[in-house]
Amino acid sequence: MKKVIFATAFIAITVAISGVFSYRVLDESAKKAEELNFMGSQGWRWHDELARLQIKSVDGQLPALRQVSGNKHYASLVTMSQDGEYRGFVFFDVDCEEGSIITNAHGDEWNNTRVSDAPPLQVLHCLRGKLVSMKTWQNVPSDVWEGQIGEYQFRVEFKNWDFTVLQRAYLKSTAELI
């Protein structure tokens, strides 16, 4: 009788542990899929899952790298232009009206400040129905890109970003046959 009770308890514990483990695996898989489809975007896949970097390639265009913020309020994206510049975008998960902008300057700052005295103006544009901040770099972004425009704040650390795939795609797109 003790063997039957022990076997039943062992089976019940095994089933419970398996159920918890299965739930955690499925929940983690759902979170990863949700992150790949952040803000309804499609076609992203993992480039470096540990660094939470995603990549998207579209025929006829250079690929882009993306990272969704930990709080899921924005996604940062970097690609290269046809001129070899790095272009950065921070898309906020906020709907907006096309053509609208938000800036960190007050109305009187626009009129009364000389351009040489003005602090760097940061602007959020409405692009494809989402608020976005943009920046370009001549060289590989290697530090932190951060900003606060109105109530919108972001911080992107590039230390774990591997831009090699963007560089290779750019060089391949500019290569000429001799």
Side-chain angles (χ1 to χ4, degrees), residues 90 92 101-106 109-110 118-125 132-135 145-150 152-155:
V90 173
F92 288 90
I101 64 169
I102 297 174
T103 149
N104 63 347
H106 299 292
E109 292 177 5
W110 284 88
L121 182 65
Q122 294 187 38
V123 177
L124 291 179
H125 298 273
V132 62
S133 180
M134 297 177 272
K135 182 174 181 173
W145 175 28
E146 59 188 336
Q148 180 167 0
I149 303 113
Y152 302 99
Q153 185 174 336
F154 64 92
R155 180 177 172 86

Side-chain angles (χ1 to χ4, degrees), residues 1-146:
M1 186 66 164
K2 288 183 181 181
K3 289 182 181 180
V4 171
I5 293 173
F6 177 75
T8 304
F10 178 76
I11 291 172
I13 290 171
T14 303
V15 168
I17 291 172
S18 297
V20 168
F21 179 75
S22 296
Y23 173 79
R24 291 180 74 190
V25 167
L26 291 173
D27 185 51
E28 182 67 24
S29 178
K31 286 179 182 177
K32 288 178 184 177
E34 181 183 324
E35 191 172 333
L36 288 172
N37 297 317
F38 183 67
M39 290 195 293
S41 190
Q42 300 292 314
W44 292 97
R45 59 184 169 78
W46 292 110
H47 175 65
D48 182 347
E49 197 169 335
L50 287 175
R52 309 310 297 164
L53 284 176
Q54 304 168 15
I55 190 167
K56 183 176 184 177
S57 298
V58 177
D59 288 338
Q61 296 180 10
L62 292 172
L65 291 175
R66 175 177 89 159
Q67 187 177 57
V68 176
S69 70
N71 59 15
K72 306 265 192 305
H73 291 271
Y74 61 88
S76 49
L77 181 146
V78 175
T79 189
M80 288 184 77
S81 71
Q82 296 297 332
D83 299 328
E85 290 182 328
Y86 292 84
R87 299 182 309 166
F89 303 86
V90 173
F91 287 92
F92 288 90
D93 193 15
V94 175
D95 295 331
C96 59
E97 186 176 325
E98 289 293 329
S100 63
I101 64 169
I102 297 174
T103 149
N104 63 347
H106 299 292
D108 57 339
E109 292 177 5
W110 284 88
N111 300 325
N112 298 331
T113 306
R114 292 184 317 193
V115 175
S116 60
D117 296 337
L121 182 65
Q122 294 187 38
V123 177
L124 291 179
H125 298 273
C126 187
L127 182 65
R128 296 183 182 160
K130 296 293 182 187
L131 287 176
V132 62
S133 180
M134 297 177 272
K135 182 174 181 173
T136 60
W137 298 268
Q138 295 296 317
N139 300 309
V140 175
S142 60
D143 52 353
V144 174
W145 175 28
E146 59 188 336

